[in-house]
Amino acid sequence: MLRIATAFILLFGLSCKQSKQKSYKPGSTGAINSLTVVVDNELWKGEVGDKIREHFAAPCVGQPQDEPLFSIHQLPRQVFSGSVRHSRSILYVEKDSQNTAHVKKDEFARPQQVAVVTGRNVGEIVKEIDAKADAFISAFKTLEIEESQKRFTRSLSKETVFQDRLGIGMSVPSVYRVGKEEDNFVWADRQISKGNMNLVAYTLPKGTFANDSTLVRDIVRVRDSIGALYIPGPEVEGKITHMRTEPAYAPAVFTTRVNGMEAIEVRGIWDIKNYPMAGPFLTYIVKDPEDGRLLVVEGFVFAPATNKRDSMFELEAILKTLKAVSRKNRALPQ
């Protein structure tokens, strides 16, 4: 009996070890907003490649200059092996005997999204890409936001000003410093090469944007009034300078959710009235589920003559950590 028991224990231990080996997957790799596209060179140079670039290298919304959604790295199937398979976001395209378009999670590494598209010919592959591109982009972007948040949450600011002043919580990296705070306005920023990245937050009454037919105009009006009150531009003799929404470009407005809360997303270009400064901004207008007030959080970048996609993406990842603090836990000033 002792021998049987010993053998059973050894077998059980070996089985557990093999199970762990099978379930183990390495950590995924890659720069934020990079996409590995696995497709044969012949397809990449033709209509399939054009369709992939049309969707996945499309210009980002709300940027002053064209920057692609993803930085694409293409490679043929025969070299898709080893550490290359550990890329975080992968689009795999090939000719096959059937049409498919789906996403596999954590196929070769963790975390990972692998979007697979197959078709019997070029026309069918192109059709599948058109049909599924938006869903693939959403899956990739969600993963990239989570990765960005994971990276900056390793070193968070201990400042409580957003909660103390506004009754909101937000995970802000420690490199951001609060530069201005009022009873209903907070502005924090960080210095980057050739410029700065900025976070602002404030609240509005719940009925501020009651008319859908004038929503965009009302958003611009309110945003510009906040800029006039709190975000001055450089001093220019005889002129008033402050941040506003660039009047030549209407912002793009979408409905969305932030941490489960109903929200409006606004992307556009800001400038300084009477002074040559401009850049991209992203605003979320979020319904507080507890008392109906509107929580407004915004990120904007000033970095002339540089690419701003990844800076704006970091700001988006920060803004999407927003949460409303319960009334009983607020320490609002009197």
Side-chain angles (χ1 to χ4, degrees), residues 64-86:
Q65 65 268 357
D66 284 351
E67 293 185 65
L69 285 174
F70 299 100
S71 299
I72 292 177
H73 308 282
Q74 180 266 337
L75 50 89
R77 288 179 300 151
Q78 57 266 32
V79 300
F80 182 57
S81 61
S83 61
V84 176
R85 293 190 175 203
H86 303 162

Side-chain angles (χ1 to χ4, degrees), residues 86-102:
H86 303 162
S87 300
R88 192 170 48 256
S89 296
I90 299 172
L91 175 62
Y92 188 96
V93 180
E94 68 172 341
K95 284 185 179 179
D96 196 49
S97 59
Q98 59 181 351
N99 296 349
T100 60
H102 58 275

Side-chain angles (χ1 to χ4, degrees), residues 86-188:
H86 303 162
S87 300
R88 192 170 48 256
S89 296
I90 299 172
L91 175 62
Y92 188 96
V93 180
E94 68 172 341
K95 284 185 179 179
D96 196 49
S97 59
Q98 59 181 351
N99 296 349
T100 60
H102 58 275
V103 175
K104 295 182 178 181
K105 185 176 181 181
D106 302 340
E107 182 72 6
F108 308 108
R110 289 195 178 101
Q112 186 183 63
Q113 296 279 19
V114 181
V116 179
V117 178
T118 66
R120 291 170 294 184
N121 53 54
V122 167
E124 290 181 349
I125 292 174
V126 167
K127 185 177 180 180
E128 293 292 343
I129 293 172
D130 272 333
K132 292 292 187 177
D134 288 347
F136 291 166
I137 290 170
S138 178
F140 291 146
K141 283 297 183 183
T142 297
L143 182 60
E144 295 302 296
I145 287 288
E146 291 171 354
E147 177 64 22
S148 182
Q149 291 172 340
K150 184 172 71 175
R151 294 182 184 186
F152 68 64
T153 52
R154 295 167 185 164
S155 178
L156 291 178
S157 172
K158 294 181 173 59
E159 285 273 6
T160 61
V161 63
F162 287 100
Q163 178 169 324
D164 296 342
R165 290 286 183 183
L166 305 173
I168 65 174
M170 199 158 54
S171 297
V172 179
S174 58
V175 291
Y176 287 81
R177 298 286 184 268
V178 175
K180 177 178 285 190
E181 54 178 298
E182 307 285 345
D183 285 351
N184 189 38
F185 181 85
V186 178
W187 180 3

